[in-house]
Every structure is written in structure tokens, then in C-alpha cells.
Amino acid sequence: TQSGPPETGLGDLPESVVGSVLGYLNPQQICRVAALNRAFRAASSADFVWESKVFDHEDGDDKLLLNLCKKDIYARLSRPNSIDGDTKKVWLHKGTGKPCVLISFNGLSITGIDDRRYWSRIPTEESRFHSVAYLQQTWWFEVSGEVEFPFTAGTYSLSFRVQLGRLGKRFGRRVCNCDQIHGWDRKPVRFQLATSDGQEAVSECYLTSPGMWNLYHVGNFVVEDSKVPMKVKFSMMQIDCTHTKGGPLVGFVDPKNLTWDIETNEVDVKESGKSVARDGP
């Protein structure tokens, strides 16, 4: 009896064909299908697969990137990079390839920040910028800032990361001193944002949940043209001078893209055998 023709499978597809398919996937999906077989693993490292993922972000003057393949360039760019005197961190999201940005309290305008009677800077491992601003007491609470960044098209939600209570450690364990928390139950904090193309948002919220970091939502804004940098001004304030308030920690401001389809469990993009950190900075 004559045996039939050998069966073919995904592993028999030419690398160029596999690569053409992978070009339609996001970085997270490419890394996952690379585990299917040798053909997909080889194609997942091809330059033409990753070229569209890094083209808009490459800096031709960066000598550190000149001798790297496109996948390794993407892995480098997906690590947090500090800019503007370490007041901002930018990186490419591993799952989507979209640029991300965080703004430290050091990049914000805080009324009275240099007066030690009111504010102090506290080093901590809980901050992506390794320090936070702590308000001891004030009559006039106002924190504002602005960012101009080439956001990709989509809808963004901007939030302040704030905690009530002073961070500390006791016998190696995390503790939170809530003794100086006062005044936040009297009036809500007012949050505002405005963009360079005329969008505005206003919200009000009481600061709650002592000892826990919370993201207080300021509002949303929409980016339609990614080629034009968007300037966003934002603030939070409680300026009712009938009472004092104190006790909050100000961490950073987070403009987050709401239109990304990001799964909970992410796959790392690896460079030279090393994994890129799973979370943002």
C-alpha cells in the first residue's frame, strides 16, 4: 500500500507568510503566538514584523539603538524613561505599543510646597518616582500642572493619585499615620482639566479611605490627531479658608488611554534573554 502525502501544519508555513500575519497583531499577541512552533518563533523576531511598532518612536540620533534589531528596540522603549528632570516617565505599553506618561508631584505647581511648615517631601518605595509630597496643614490647598505630549488618538482619563495619611515603617512593616488628617469631610475637592483644543472637564469629590492610594478622576479628553501634540492643564483644589486641612500624600498624575484593549495578564517582550517589567513604572 502506498502511503499518502505527509500532513502539513502551521510549522510548514514560510516565515514570510507567518510574519505577514504577525504584522497585524499587537506586541502582546505576537509574543504569545511565538510559542506555537519554530516557524512562529523565528518570524516573531523579524524586523519587518516590529518595524511598524517602533517606527514612530525611534530616534535616529540614539546610538544605543543603532545596532539593535527592531524587537530589541521595542523592548528598550517599553522600559520607563525619565524626562524633564525626572518629573515625568514615558514608555511604550508592552501590550499595545502606545506611549504612556506619568507626571510626578515634582512636575506640578503646589501652593506652599517649599514651606516646610506646610509641606514635606517623603522618600518611599511606593512611588514610581521614589518620593511623594505630604501636606501637614494648610488653609489653601491647590495643586496644578500641565503636560504637552504627542498622545495617540483615543479617549483619555486623567486622575490624581492621592492617599490620606503619612507613610512610614515600623518593625519593617508598612504603617500609615492618620493623626494629621482633617478638614476633608467639610468640603469636596474640586478637580479640573482643559485641553489646548478647547475641551474642559470639572468634577468634585471628597478625599476618603485613609491609608490607601486612590485615583481621583479629574475628567476625560479626546485626542483625534496624534500628529499634533496635545497640551492638557489640570488641577485639584480646596480653597475654602473657613477651615484648615491636612494629611494627604500627593503621588503623581496619570493620563490613561481608555480605548486600549488591554488584557489583565500581560506577556513580556524580551530583549537579550531579559524580561521587561510587567507593570508600568
Side-chain angles (χ1 to χ4, degrees):
T1 60
Q2 294 182 350
S3 59
E7 295 183 359
T8 58
L10 289 175
D12 298 309
L13 290 173
E15 181 178 322
S16 59
V17 174
V18 176
S20 297
V21 175
L22 298 186
Y24 290 96
L25 305 181
N26 65 41
Q28 185 179 16
Q29 294 168 334
I30 293 173
C31 292
R32 283 182 170 165
V33 300
L36 288 176
N37 52 49
R38 291 182 178 179
F40 276 76
R41 185 162 57 251
S44 69
S45 297
D47 275 355
F48 69 88
V49 172
W50 292 91
E51 188 169 13
S52 62
K53 310 293 188 293
V54 301
F55 177 80
D56 292 335
H57 313 289
E58 278 191 72
D59 184 349
D61 296 328
D62 193 337
K63 296 180 180 179
L64 295 176
L65 303 180
L66 291 179
N67 297 321
L68 297 178
C69 66
K70 300 294 184 181
K71 182 180 179 181
D72 284 355
I73 291 176
Y74 183 87
R76 287 281 183 94
L77 294 176
S78 63
R79 298 174 183 173
N81 296 283
S82 297
I83 62 173
D84 292 347
D86 199 25
T87 61
K88 299 182 182 68
K89 290 186 183 293
V90 296
W91 72 100
L92 298 184
H93 191 279
K94 298 184 300 296
T96 64
K98 305 299 185 182
C100 305
V101 58
L102 290 180
I103 306 133
S104 165
F105 80 91
N106 283 313
L108 306 177
S109 174
I110 302 178
T111 301
I113 186 64
D114 295 321
D115 192 328
R116 295 186 179 181
R117 295 174 298 173
Y118 306 120
W119 289 88
S120 57
R121 293 175 171 85
I122 302 176
T124 175
E125 296 176 356
E126 295 187 18
S127 170
R128 292 170 170 86
F129 296 91
H130 310 297
S131 66
V132 293
Y134 177 68
L135 173 62
Q136 298 166 109
Q137 180 172 291
T138 189
W139 293 89
W140 187 288
F141 174 75
E142 183 173 5
V143 180
S144 62
E146 67 177 54
V147 59
E148 186 171 11
F149 193 76
F151 294 103
T152 54
T155 301
Y156 289 79
S157 171
L158 190 141
S159 302
F160 279 88
R161 188 173 188 250
V162 179
Q163 174 183 294
L164 287 179
R166 184 182 180 117
L167 287 173
K169 283 190 176 182
R170 185 177 183 183
F171 303 118
R173 300 183 64 180
R174 181 188 191 274
V175 294
C176 182
N177 187 334
C178 299
D179 292 345
Q180 291 183 311
I181 300 175
H182 66 281
W184 304 108
D185 57 346
R186 301 278 297 274
K187 292 287 183 67
V189 175
R190 184 179 179 87
F191 299 89
Q192 299 180 84
L193 73 78
T195 67
S196 52
D197 63 354
Q199 301 177 66
E200 296 182 348
V202 179
S203 63
E204 292 188 343
C205 181
Y206 286 92
L207 302 188
T208 59
S209 305
M212 298 176 58
W213 286 106
N214 292 288
L215 287 175
Y216 291 93
H217 182 237
V218 180
N220 296 346
F221 62 94
V222 178
V223 177
E224 297 181 349
D225 188 354
S226 59
K227 296 181 180 179
V228 179
M230 172 76 77
K231 178 180 288 187
V232 184
K233 296 183 178 181
F234 46 85
S235 66
M236 68 173 179
M237 62 181 67
Q238 215 283 34
I239 56 177
D240 183 349
C241 294
T242 60
H243 65 282
T244 63
K245 39 262 177 188
L249 290 165
V250 179
F252 57 75
V253 177
D254 179 15
K256 182 176 295 183
N257 193 317
L258 297 178
T259 55
W260 297 346
D261 183 16
I262 304 171
E263 299 183 21
T264 303
N265 297 315
E266 296 180 350
V267 176
D268 294 343
V269 178
K270 295 185 177 181
E271 174 199 354
S272 303
K274 298 180 180 179
S275 296
V276 178
R278 286 185 176 275
D279 297 324

